[in-house]
Amino acid sequence: LSTSSSYFLKLLAINMDLLVNHNYLNIDIKHTNVGYDSNDNLKIFDFNLFIKDTDFSQKINLYSKYSFYYLHPIQPFKPEDIILYSIAILILESLSSYSECNKYIYKLPKLKLSKFVLLQMKKNVLSEELFKILHMCFNAKYTAEQLYENLGIFANISHNH
């Protein structure tokens, strides 16, 4: 994760900027929807699943409208929490094999709890702090500021070694 921490930080910053400064919630945050421009800046290239939102305090139920997307929670979450959840899923996905993802993340009937099963399986390859961060993001108990700060710590550790 240390080498990709800056990637996740940039992804978080881009999506929080869209939400806070432009009132758009990206509900399809994933690797295939972003890329790098000619100046090596991370950019979003797929804008198909954006929701215009002005009330950040209201929870949104994405499951009732978008039941086939694994990158957002199946229970109602506030917009900021949806972004954090999606990034936490991407981090867990990046640490897992395709067969693990297919079994625990991509299959709709098991989405509610299976991400916690996979997270528990990965506990031995995660630091205790990262385990707690991902768990809290899955439960909407973390803030963007906390995630940005703590992923920044992981990025700094990798640059100092």
Side-chain angles (χ1 to χ4, degrees):
L1 176 69
S2 59
T3 56
S4 56
S5 292
S6 61
Y7 169 80
F8 293 116
L9 284 168
K10 290 174 189 173
L11 201 54
L12 174 62
I14 290 168
N15 283 284
M16 287 305 299
D17 177 64
L18 282 168
L19 180 65
V20 174
N21 295 322
H22 306 283
N23 297 331
Y24 281 101
L25 172 63
N26 179 1
I27 63 166
D28 198 21
I29 301 170
K30 60 185 177 185
H31 303 299
T32 56
N33 291 345
V34 296
Y36 291 91
D37 66 13
S38 60
N39 295 319
D40 207 28
N41 296 311
L42 189 65
K43 300 283 185 180
I44 296 174
F45 294 125
D46 185 342
F47 297 92
N48 287 333
L49 291 174
F50 277 61
I51 297 173
K52 183 79 168 167
D53 190 25
T54 54
D55 186 356
F56 304 131
S57 65
Q58 293 295 315
K59 291 184 177 183
I60 300 171
N61 184 356
L62 297 174
Y63 188 68
S64 65
K65 294 180 183 177
Y66 306 100
S67 60
F68 298 105
Y69 295 99
Y70 71 95
L71 291 168
H72 58 69
I74 61 172
Q75 63 271 30
F77 270 23
K78 292 179 183 175
E80 176 182 323
D81 296 327
I82 292 169
I83 293 170
L84 301 180
Y85 178 97
S86 297
I87 290 175
I89 286 286
L90 289 175
I91 292 170
L92 184 58
E93 181 183 40
S94 72
L95 298 168
S96 305
S97 69
Y98 176 77
S99 62
E100 289 171 328
C101 290
N102 198 37
K103 184 174 182 179
Y104 296 103
I105 298 178
Y106 304 150
K107 296 293 184 189
L108 193 60
K110 297 181 178 182
L111 279 179
K112 189 165 189 172
L113 296 175
S114 63
K115 63 186 165 285
F116 294 107
V117 173
L118 182 57
L119 181 61
Q120 189 66 39
M121 288 172 54
K122 295 297 174 182
K123 194 171 188 175
N124 64 333
V125 296
L126 299 172
S127 68
E128 185 177 329
E129 183 65 22
L130 184 55
F131 178 86
K132 283 194 279 186
I133 289 168
L134 297 178
H135 197 277
M136 290 173 74
C137 287
F138 291 152
N139 285 298
K141 302 209 182 291
Y142 220 61
T143 66
E145 292 81 18
Q146 289 172 307
L147 186 58
Y148 196 80
E149 179 181 323
N150 286 310
L151 282 181
I153 291 169
F154 288 110
N156 289 336
I157 291 170
S158 69
H159 290 6
N160 292 332
H161 285 59

